Amino acid sequence: MTHDATTMSPDAARAAIAAAVRRIVPDADLDTLADDARIRDELELDSLDFLSFVELLSGATGIRIDESDYPDLTTMARAIAFLTSRETSGDGLSGR
């Protein structure tokens, strides 16, 4: 049995996170952001910025991100682990 859902590679997950962050903080220096650094604190994201980040990330990856998943997006390492453990819709545009 075959379906269209796939999982992301760690590199693809990191790229998607970086792209979403840069849409909100264009001058963010992600090369100096440690994988265990708290994204919101390090990049000074307020709650609306974080919500935008979640929406952009979900839309770009096709992965549904619920409010209960927000703790999994606190650091780069946790966000990568979250994204690589979930199935994408395959189109990257679902926004679910």
Side-chain angles (χ1 to χ4, degrees):
M1 180 183 283
T2 304
H3 55 77
D4 293 330
T6 60
T7 55
M8 296 186 80
S9 71
D11 288 340
R14 183 179 297 275
I17 294 163
V21 165
R22 287 196 176 105
R23 293 276 309 269
I24 299 161
V25 185
D27 59 345
D29 185 3
L30 298 177
D31 294 332
T32 62
L33 182 68
D35 280 355
D36 62 348
R38 295 181 63 80
I39 294 171
R40 283 186 68 175
D41 295 339
E42 292 296 316
L43 301 175
E44 299 178 359
L45 301 180
D46 63 23
S47 57
L48 292 178
D49 290 335
F50 184 74
L51 182 57
S52 294
F53 166 69
V54 170
E55 290 175 347
L56 289 166
L57 192 58
S58 180
T61 62
I63 295 173
R64 181 185 176 117
I65 303 173
D66 295 316
E67 189 173 350
S68 61
D69 299 320
Y70 291 0
D72 292 321
L73 303 176
T74 55
T75 67
M76 183 67 82
R78 289 189 70 176
I80 290 170
F82 171 79
L83 293 175
T84 58
S85 71
R86 299 293 176 103
E87 290 186 346
T88 68
S89 66
D91 63 9
L93 300 173
S94 70
R96 288 188 253 168

